[in-house]
Amino acid sequence: MNESSQPQKKSRKRLTVPDLIGKKSRGEKITMLTAYDFTMASLLDASGVDVLLVGDSMAMVVQGHENTLPVTLDEMIYHSEMVGRGSENALVVVDIPFPINHQGIHQCVTAAGRILKETRCQAVKLEGGAEQAEVISALVTAGIPVMAHVGLRPQAVHTMGGYKIQRDRDQIMVDATAAQEAGAFAIVLECIPAEIAKELTDHLDIPTIGIGAGKHCDGQVLVINDMLGLTSGYVPSFVKSYANLKETIQAATAEWCTEVREQEFPSDDNSF
Ligand code: KIV
């Protein structure tokens, strides 16, 4: 298909993987937020966020599980379709859910291929560094852009003994370097000391996107519910909430319930 015969879609404006790498070379900070459905994806996309991540944090935030392990590939695809439909401008990245990236290259390429074929998303993220290098390389060879994820890896919560700050500088350096060499286009650094994140960010050619990794990363990512104050449980100290949607939603709901019970809603204005 030549360029003139390609459908003229909105996605021509969409941020691409090379654009993201270009941001690092120009010293422009990258913004990434999680999204799990159409409405939120549309709002975040229209607000100018660079990257939308359909994170496996969905297992906790949307599904109410205690960790990220239970979410399935089919569920990730179902939600990624919604996010893909809701976004025009952001690069959309989808987490490969546990334990697919440990089930061999064939399984992982098949799963990532389904994600790109069945959703409108453009890249995948997978947890792991050096031990995942072959998988990353196979995905990239298949034309599937990969964002790596090192430091705290929530899918390894049981091995790591909880959600703890990761301080093993040498291991993190080995993992991140291996991911870059394998062809990853960017890398999430989760819960590592700011000094180590700075060293990595200076050392790597690909952008680093931090969560609980200090201000020197090339970009920042937060779980959208945390950023908007829409949480019910523990909120980590590296989170800053820019709104209090939990309070707003509860106040609006209480007001509506009162108005219905006192027969103030619907008024004549809300009736035919
Ligand atoms: O699943 C997720 O939301 C993530 C981010 C915390 C980076 O992996």
Side-chain angles (χ1 to χ4, degrees), residues 210-240:
I211 176 162
K215 65 179 178 187
H216 302 293
C217 298
D218 297 305
Q220 296 292 327
V221 54
L222 282 178
V223 169
I224 188 62
N225 293 54
D226 292 340
M227 197 277 273
L228 294 177
L230 190 53
T231 47
S232 47
Y234 164 76
V235 179
S237 64
F238 57 75
V239 167
K240 179 172 173 189

PDB file of all heavy atoms in Angstrom, residues 210-240:
ATOM      1  N   GLY A 210       9.937   7.843  35.182  1.00  0.00           N
ATOM      2  CA  GLY A 210      10.011   7.452  36.587  1.00  0.00           C
ATOM      3  C   GLY A 210       8.678   7.461  37.304  1.00  0.00           C
ATOM      4  O   GLY A 210       7.775   8.249  36.996  1.00  0.00           O
ATOM      5  N   ILE A 211       8.571   6.557  38.267  1.00  0.00           N
ATOM      6  CA  ILE A 211       7.468   6.580  39.244  1.00  0.00           C
ATOM      7  C   ILE A 211       8.117   6.245  40.578  1.00  0.00           C
ATOM      8  O   ILE A 211       8.667   5.157  40.764  1.00  0.00           O
ATOM      9  CB  ILE A 211       6.311   5.627  38.852  1.00  0.00           C
ATOM     10  CG1 ILE A 211       5.226   5.609  39.946  1.00  0.00           C
ATOM     11  CG2 ILE A 211       6.770   4.214  38.490  1.00  0.00           C
ATOM     12  CD1 ILE A 211       3.882   5.064  39.497  1.00  0.00           C
ATOM     13  N   GLY A 212       8.168   7.230  41.452  1.00  0.00           N
ATOM     14  CA  GLY A 212       8.921   7.049  42.689  1.00  0.00           C
ATOM     15  C   GLY A 212      10.407   6.928  42.399  1.00  0.00           C
ATOM     16  O   GLY A 212      11.126   6.167  43.060  1.00  0.00           O
ATOM     17  N   ALA A 213      10.898   7.676  41.407  1.00  0.00           N
ATOM     18  CA  ALA A 213      12.313   7.593  41.020  1.00  0.00           C
ATOM     19  C   ALA A 213      12.929   8.994  40.896  1.00  0.00           C
ATOM     20  O   ALA A 213      13.978   9.157  40.279  1.00  0.00           O
ATOM     21  CB  ALA A 213      12.450   6.822  39.705  1.00  0.00           C
ATOM     22  N   GLY A 214      12.278   9.990  41.489  1.00  0.00           N
ATOM     23  CA  GLY A 214      12.869  11.327  41.542  1.00  0.00           C
ATOM     24  C   GLY A 214      12.698  12.138  40.265  1.00  0.00           C
ATOM     25  O   GLY A 214      12.111  11.686  39.287  1.00  0.00           O
ATOM     26  N   LYS A 215      13.283  13.345  40.314  1.00  0.00           N
ATOM     27  CA  LYS A 215      12.990  14.341  39.276  1.00  0.00           C
ATOM     28  C   LYS A 215      13.926  14.302  38.069  1.00  0.00           C
ATOM     29  O   LYS A 215      13.742  15.046  37.110  1.00  0.00           O
ATOM     30  CB  LYS A 215      13.033  15.736  39.893  1.00  0.00           C
ATOM     31  CG  LYS A 215      14.403  16.143  40.396  1.00  0.00           C
ATOM     32  CD  LYS A 215      14.351  17.559  40.965  1.00  0.00           C
ATOM     33  CE  LYS A 215      15.720  17.944  41.505  1.00  0.00           C
ATOM     34  NZ  LYS A 215      15.700  19.215  42.217  1.00  0.00           N
ATOM     35  N   HIS A 216      14.967  13.473  38.135  1.00  0.00           N
ATOM     36  CA  HIS A 216      15.948  13.521  37.039  1.00  0.00           C
ATOM     37  C   HIS A 216      15.590  12.640  35.859  1.00  0.00           C
ATOM     38  O   HIS A 216      16.280  12.666  34.837  1.00  0.00           O
ATOM     39  CB  HIS A 216      17.335  13.121  37.560  1.00  0.00           C
ATOM     40  CG  HIS A 216      17.804  13.995  38.679  1.00  0.00           C
ATOM     41  ND1 HIS A 216      18.107  15.324  38.498  1.00  0.00           N
ATOM     42  CD2 HIS A 216      17.992  13.732  40.004  1.00  0.00           C
ATOM     43  CE1 HIS A 216      18.466  15.855  39.664  1.00  0.00           C
ATOM     44  NE2 HIS A 216      18.403  14.906  40.587  1.00  0.00           N
ATOM     45  N   CYS A 217      14.526  11.848  35.979  1.00  0.00           N
ATOM     46  CA  CYS A 217      14.121  10.974  34.859  1.00  0.00           C
ATOM     47  C   CYS A 217      13.697  11.846  33.679  1.00  0.00           C
ATOM     48  O   CYS A 217      13.329  13.017  33.843  1.00  0.00           O
ATOM     49  CB  CYS A 217      12.955  10.089  35.286  1.00  0.00           C
ATOM     50  SG  CYS A 217      13.367   8.998  36.647  1.00  0.00           S
ATOM     51  N   ASP A 218      13.701  11.234  32.486  1.00  0.00           N
ATOM     52  CA  ASP A 218      13.283  11.982  31.290  1.00  0.00           C
ATOM     53  C   ASP A 218      11.779  12.238  31.290  1.00  0.00           C
ATOM     54  O   ASP A 218      11.301  13.093  30.544  1.00  0.00           O
ATOM     55  CB  ASP A 218      13.667  11.204  30.028  1.00  0.00           C
ATOM     56  CG  ASP A 218      15.174  11.042  29.907  1.00  0.00           C
ATOM     57  OD1 ASP A 218      15.879  12.073  29.941  1.00  0.00           O
ATOM     58  OD2 ASP A 218      15.648   9.886  29.810  1.00  0.00           O
ATOM     59  N   GLY A 219      11.041  11.465  32.059  1.00  0.00           N
ATOM     60  CA  GLY A 219       9.599  11.670  32.129  1.00  0.00           C
ATOM     61  C   GLY A 219       9.059  11.121  33.428  1.00  0.00           C
ATOM     62  O   GLY A 219       9.805  10.549  34.240  1.00  0.00           O
ATOM     63  N   GLN A 220       7.773  11.324  33.645  1.00  0.00           N
ATOM     64  CA  GLN A 220       7.115  10.851  34.868  1.00  0.00           C
ATOM     65  C   GLN A 220       5.835  10.121  34.502  1.00  0.00           C
ATOM     66  O   GLN A 220       5.166  10.477  33.526  1.00  0.00           O
ATOM     67  CB  GLN A 220       6.754  12.046  35.778  1.00  0.00           C
ATOM     68  CG  GLN A 220       7.962  12.806  36.302  1.00  0.00           C
ATOM     69  CD  GLN A 220       8.810  12.012  37.297  1.00  0.00           C
ATOM     70  OE1 GLN A 220       8.289  11.197  38.073  1.00  0.00           O
ATOM     71  NE2 GLN A 220      10.119  12.237  37.293  1.00  0.00           N
ATOM     72  N   VAL A 221       5.501   9.119  35.295  1.00  0.00           N
ATOM     73  CA  VAL A 221       4.236   8.406  35.130  1.00  0.00           C
ATOM     74  C   VAL A 221       3.555   8.279  36.487  1.00  0.00           C
ATOM     75  O   VAL A 221       4.235   8.111  37.507  1.00  0.00           O
ATOM     76  CB  VAL A 221       4.425   7.002  34.492  1.00  0.00           C
ATOM     77  CG1 VAL A 221       5.414   6.140  35.240  1.00  0.00           C
ATOM     78  CG2 VAL A 221       3.093   6.260  34.358  1.00  0.00           C
ATOM     79  N   LEU A 222       2.237   8.401  36.497  1.00  0.00           N
ATOM     80  CA  LEU A 222       1.454   8.105  37.695  1.00  0.00           C
ATOM     81  C   LEU A 222       0.222   7.306  37.296  1.00  0.00           C
ATOM     82  O   LEU A 222      -0.241   7.377  36.150  1.00  0.00           O
ATOM     83  CB  LEU A 222       1.001   9.394  38.402  1.00  0.00           C
ATOM     84  CG  LEU A 222       2.028  10.144  39.258  1.00  0.00           C
ATOM     85  CD1 LEU A 222       1.411  11.419  39.831  1.00  0.00           C
ATOM     86  CD2 LEU A 222       2.603   9.286  40.390  1.00  0.00           C
ATOM     87  N   VAL A 223      -0.279   6.568  38.253  1.00  0.00           N
ATOM     88  CA  VAL A 223      -1.577   5.901  38.089  1.00  0.00           C
ATOM     89  C   VAL A 223      -2.639   7.013  38.174  1.00  0.00           C
ATOM     90  O   VAL A 223      -2.627   7.823  39.098  1.00  0.00           O
ATOM     91  CB  VAL A 223      -1.776   4.835  39.194  1.00  0.00           C
ATOM     92  CG1 VAL A 223      -3.209   4.328  39.214  1.00  0.00           C
ATOM     93  CG2 VAL A 223      -0.792   3.684  38.984  1.00  0.00           C
ATOM     94  N   ILE A 224      -3.520   7.062  37.187  1.00  0.00           N
ATOM     95  CA  ILE A 224      -4.459   8.191  37.074  1.00  0.00           C
ATOM     96  C   ILE A 224      -5.313   8.370  38.322  1.00  0.00           C
ATOM     97  O   ILE A 224      -5.544   9.501  38.773  1.00  0.00           O
ATOM     98  CB  ILE A 224      -5.333   8.070  35.790  1.00  0.00           C
ATOM     99  CG1 ILE A 224      -6.152   9.333  35.584  1.00  0.00           C
ATOM    100  CG2 ILE A 224      -6.210   6.829  35.801  1.00  0.00           C
ATOM    101  CD1 ILE A 224      -5.374  10.580  35.377  1.00  0.00           C
ATOM    102  N   ASN A 225      -5.765   7.281  38.917  1.00  0.00           N
ATOM    103  CA  ASN A 225      -6.622   7.413  40.106  1.00  0.00           C
ATOM    104  C   ASN A 225      -5.870   8.083  41.245  1.00  0.00           C
ATOM    105  O   ASN A 225      -6.449   8.870  42.003  1.00  0.00           O
ATOM    106  CB  ASN A 225      -7.154   6.039  40.538  1.00  0.00           C
ATOM    107  CG  ASN A 225      -8.097   5.473  39.514  1.00  0.00           C
ATOM    108  OD1 ASN A 225      -7.737   5.372  38.348  1.00  0.00           O
ATOM    109  ND2 ASN A 225      -9.298   5.103  39.923  1.00  0.00           N
ATOM    110  N   ASP A 226      -4.581   7.785  41.378  1.00  0.00           N
ATOM    111  CA  ASP A 226      -3.769   8.427  42.422  1.00  0.00           C
ATOM    112  C   ASP A 226      -3.620   9.917  42.113  1.00  0.00           C
ATOM    113  O   ASP A 226      -3.746  10.767  43.000  1.00  0.00           O
ATOM    114  CB  ASP A 226      -2.361   7.798  42.479  1.00  0.00           C
ATOM    115  CG  ASP A 226      -2.380   6.360  42.965  1.00  0.00           C
ATOM    116  OD1 ASP A 226      -3.366   5.962  43.605  1.00  0.00           O
ATOM    117  OD2 ASP A 226      -1.390   5.641  42.704  1.00  0.00           O
ATOM    118  N   MET A 227      -3.336  10.244  40.859  1.00  0.00           N
ATOM    119  CA  MET A 227      -3.106  11.638  40.474  1.00  0.00           C
ATOM    120  C   MET A 227      -4.355  12.484  40.694  1.00  0.00           C
ATOM    121  O   MET A 227      -4.277  13.658  41.038  1.00  0.00           O
ATOM    122  CB  MET A 227      -2.637  11.682  39.014  1.00  0.00           C
ATOM    123  CG  MET A 227      -1.990  12.971  38.584  1.00  0.00           C
ATOM    124  SD  MET A 227      -3.209  14.184  38.138  1.00  0.00           S
ATOM    125  CE  MET A 227      -3.489  13.811  36.430  1.00  0.00           C
ATOM    126  N   LEU A 228      -5.531  11.861  40.518  1.00  0.00           N
ATOM    127  CA  LEU A 228      -6.794  12.611  40.637  1.00  0.00           C
ATOM    128  C   LEU A 228      -7.429  12.495  42.024  1.00  0.00           C
ATOM    129  O   LEU A 228      -8.522  13.001  42.247  1.00  0.00           O
ATOM    130  CB  LEU A 228      -7.796  12.108  39.582  1.00  0.00           C
ATOM    131  CG  LEU A 228      -7.419  12.385  38.125  1.00  0.00           C
ATOM    132  CD1 LEU A 228      -8.453  11.775  37.192  1.00  0.00           C
ATOM    133  CD2 LEU A 228      -7.282  13.875  37.857  1.00  0.00           C
ATOM    134  N   GLY A 229      -6.757  11.824  42.944  1.00  0.00           N
ATOM    135  CA  GLY A 229      -7.346  11.672  44.282  1.00  0.00           C
ATOM    136  C   GLY A 229      -8.591  10.818  44.260  1.00  0.00           C
ATOM    137  O   GLY A 229      -9.581  11.115  44.939  1.00  0.00           O
ATOM    138  N   LEU A 230      -8.560   9.768  43.462  1.00  0.00           N
ATOM    139  CA  LEU A 230      -9.720   8.873  43.335  1.00  0.00           C
ATOM    140  C   LEU A 230      -9.325   7.493  43.849  1.00  0.00           C
ATOM    141  O   LEU A 230      -9.351   6.496  43.137  1.00  0.00           O
ATOM    142  CB  LEU A 230     -10.123   8.824  41.853  1.00  0.00           C
ATOM    143  CG  LEU A 230     -11.435   8.156  41.457  1.00  0.00           C
ATOM    144  CD1 LEU A 230     -12.601   8.720  42.243  1.00  0.00           C
ATOM    145  CD2 LEU A 230     -11.675   8.335  39.969  1.00  0.00           C
ATOM    146  N   THR A 231      -8.891   7.475  45.115  1.00  0.00           N
ATOM    147  CA  THR A 231      -8.366   6.232  45.673  1.00  0.00           C
ATOM    148  C   THR A 231      -9.097   5.917  46.977  1.00  0.00           C
ATOM    149  O   THR A 231      -9.580   6.826  47.650  1.00  0.00           O
ATOM    150  CB  THR A 231      -6.866   6.388  45.995  1.00  0.00           C
ATOM    151  OG1 THR A 231      -6.705   7.623  46.682  1.00  0.00           O
ATOM    152  CG2 THR A 231      -6.024   6.406  44.756  1.00  0.00           C
ATOM    153  N   SER A 232      -9.127   4.634  47.299  1.00  0.00           N
ATOM    154  CA  SER A 232      -9.811   4.298  48.550  1.00  0.00           C
ATOM    155  C   SER A 232      -8.836   3.784  49.602  1.00  0.00           C
ATOM    156  O   SER A 232      -9.102   3.837  50.780  1.00  0.00           O
ATOM    157  CB  SER A 232     -10.906   3.263  48.298  1.00  0.00           C
ATOM    158  OG  SER A 232     -10.407   2.238  47.497  1.00  0.00           O
ATOM    159  N   GLY A 233      -7.660   3.332  49.180  1.00  0.00           N
ATOM    160  CA  GLY A 233      -6.753   2.742  50.172  1.00  0.00           C
ATOM    161  C   GLY A 233      -5.487   3.564  50.353  1.00  0.00           C
ATOM    162  O   GLY A 233      -5.484   4.790  50.266  1.00  0.00           O
ATOM    163  N   TYR A 234      -4.398   2.834  50.588  1.00  0.00           N
ATOM    164  CA  TYR A 234      -3.077   3.424  50.829  1.00  0.00           C
ATOM    165  C   TYR A 234      -2.571   4.148  49.571  1.00  0.00           C
ATOM    166  O   TYR A 234      -2.679   3.639  48.461  1.00  0.00           O
ATOM    167  CB  TYR A 234      -2.135   2.273  51.204  1.00  0.00           C
ATOM    168  CG  TYR A 234      -0.666   2.603  51.111  1.00  0.00           C
ATOM    169  CD1 TYR A 234      -0.054   3.379  52.098  1.00  0.00           C
ATOM    170  CD2 TYR A 234       0.099   2.146  50.040  1.00  0.00           C
ATOM    171  CE1 TYR A 234       1.295   3.684  52.001  1.00  0.00           C
ATOM    172  CE2 TYR A 234       1.448   2.444  49.949  1.00  0.00           C
ATOM    173  CZ  TYR A 234       2.034   3.219  50.934  1.00  0.00           C
ATOM    174  OH  TYR A 234       3.358   3.520  50.839  1.00  0.00           O
ATOM    175  N   VAL A 235      -2.039   5.353  49.763  1.00  0.00           N
ATOM    176  CA  VAL A 235      -1.455   6.093  48.633  1.00  0.00           C
ATOM    177  C   VAL A 235       0.037   6.286  48.910  1.00  0.00           C
ATOM    178  O   VAL A 235       0.412   6.863  49.934  1.00  0.00           O
ATOM    179  CB  VAL A 235      -2.136   7.472  48.453  1.00  0.00           C
ATOM    180  CG1 VAL A 235      -1.507   8.224  47.292  1.00  0.00           C
ATOM    181  CG2 VAL A 235      -3.631   7.309  48.238  1.00  0.00           C
ATOM    182  N   PRO A 236       0.910   5.780  48.021  1.00  0.00           N
ATOM    183  CA  PRO A 236       2.350   5.886  48.276  1.00  0.00           C
ATOM    184  C   PRO A 236       2.821   7.338  48.363  1.00  0.00           C
ATOM    185  O   PRO A 236       2.212   8.227  47.764  1.00  0.00           O
ATOM    186  CB  PRO A 236       2.984   5.193  47.053  1.00  0.00           C
ATOM    187  CG  PRO A 236       1.883   4.543  46.305  1.00  0.00           C
ATOM    188  CD  PRO A 236       0.592   5.133  46.757  1.00  0.00           C
ATOM    189  N   SER A 237       3.937   7.555  49.077  1.00  0.00           N
ATOM    190  CA  SER A 237       4.403   8.931  49.316  1.00  0.00           C
ATOM    191  C   SER A 237       4.913   9.603  48.042  1.00  0.00           C
ATOM    192  O   SER A 237       4.996  10.823  47.983  1.00  0.00           O
ATOM    193  CB  SER A 237       5.500   8.926  50.376  1.00  0.00           C
ATOM    194  OG  SER A 237       6.613   8.209  49.874  1.00  0.00           O
ATOM    195  N   PHE A 238       5.248   8.823  46.996  1.00  0.00           N
ATOM    196  CA  PHE A 238       5.748   9.470  45.769  1.00  0.00           C
ATOM    197  C   PHE A 238       4.608  10.035  44.921  1.00  0.00           C
ATOM    198  O   PHE A 238       4.834  10.672  43.902  1.00  0.00           O
ATOM    199  CB  PHE A 238       6.609   8.507  44.940  1.00  0.00           C
ATOM    200  CG  PHE A 238       5.918   7.227  44.532  1.00  0.00           C
ATOM    201  CD1 PHE A 238       4.982   7.227  43.517  1.00  0.00           C
ATOM    202  CD2 PHE A 238       6.220   6.030  45.163  1.00  0.00           C
ATOM    203  CE1 PHE A 238       4.352   6.056  43.129  1.00  0.00           C
ATOM    204  CE2 PHE A 238       5.590   4.851  44.786  1.00  0.00           C
ATOM    205  CZ  PHE A 238       4.662   4.867  43.769  1.00  0.00           C
ATOM    206  N   VAL A 239       3.368   9.794  45.351  1.00  0.00           N
ATOM    207  CA  VAL A 239       2.207  10.294  44.590  1.00  0.00           C
ATOM    208  C   VAL A 239       1.884  11.713  45.027  1.00  0.00           C
ATOM    209  O   VAL A 239       1.986  12.055  46.200  1.00  0.00           O
ATOM    210  CB  VAL A 239       0.973   9.401  44.858  1.00  0.00           C
ATOM    211  CG1 VAL A 239      -0.301  10.059  44.352  1.00  0.00           C
ATOM    212  CG2 VAL A 239       1.166   8.029  44.218  1.00  0.00           C
ATOM    213  N   LYS A 240       1.523  12.561  44.048  1.00  0.00           N
ATOM    214  CA  LYS A 240       0.923  13.851  44.383  1.00  0.00           C
ATOM    215  C   LYS A 240      -0.457  13.878  43.736  1.00  0.00           C
ATOM    216  O   LYS A 240      -0.580  13.618  42.538  1.00  0.00           O
ATOM    217  CB  LYS A 240       1.800  14.990  43.860  1.00  0.00           C
ATOM    218  CG  LYS A 240       1.229  16.361  44.162  1.00  0.00           C
ATOM    219  CD  LYS A 240       2.213  17.471  43.803  1.00  0.00           C
ATOM    220  CE  LYS A 240       1.538  18.829  43.949  1.00  0.00           C
ATOM    221  NZ  LYS A 240       2.371  19.912  43.422  1.00  0.00           N
TER     222      LYS A 240
END
